[in-house]
């Protein structure tokens, strides 16, 4: 239960960071800044998976660890996609 609680706190922290990033995305009113929802939604997938895993562990289900693994995989893929997008934007 304590591991699930700690992960819940960390998931909320990661979600708050993504909220800040989403606010920055929507503040940019440049005409080339399209697909704002897609750009911001991608960052919420991993914290959501962590939060589901935390809830499952707090409830006593060992399946929460599987959700943590899925969240970690999604976080890595998301980081690669965001880095690629930043590289394309810089080279434009």
């Amino acid at each position: 239960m304590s591991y699930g609680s700690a992960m819940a706190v960390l998931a909320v922290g990661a979600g708050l960071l993504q909220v800040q990033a989403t606010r920055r995305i929507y503040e940019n009113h440049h005409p080339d800044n399209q697909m704002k929802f897609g750009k911001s939604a991608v960052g919420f997938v991993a914290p959501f998976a962590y939060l589901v895993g935390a809830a499952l562990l707090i409830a006593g289900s060992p399946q929460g660890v599987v959700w943590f693994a899925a969240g970690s995989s999604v976080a890595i893929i998301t980081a690669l996609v965001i880095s690629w997008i930043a590289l394309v934007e810089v080279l434009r």
Side-chain angles (χ1 to χ4, degrees):
M1 178 157 171
S2 63
Y3 183 62
S5 300
M7 287 305 293
V9 169
L10 292 173
V12 168
L16 290 175
L17 287 173
Q18 186 55 36
V19 166
Q20 181 65 21
T22 299
R23 289 173 60 196
R24 296 284 182 204
I25 289 170
Y26 278 92
E27 286 175 357
N28 183 356
H29 298 294
H30 193 275
D32 289 338
N33 185 18
Q34 300 175 3
M35 295 181 52
K36 292 180 182 181
F37 178 77
K39 289 179 187 178
S40 60
V42 166
F44 284 104
V45 176
F48 176 74
Y50 295 146
L51 200 57
V52 170
L56 287 172
L57 282 181
I58 290 171
S61 173
Q63 289 296 319
V65 179
V66 174
W67 279 87
F68 291 150
S72 297
S73 298
V74 168
I76 291 169
I77 293 168
T78 301
L80 289 172
V81 168
I82 291 172
S83 298
W84 177 76
I85 291 170
L87 177 65
V88 168
E89 293 294 328
V90 167
L91 293 177
R92 190 185 324 186

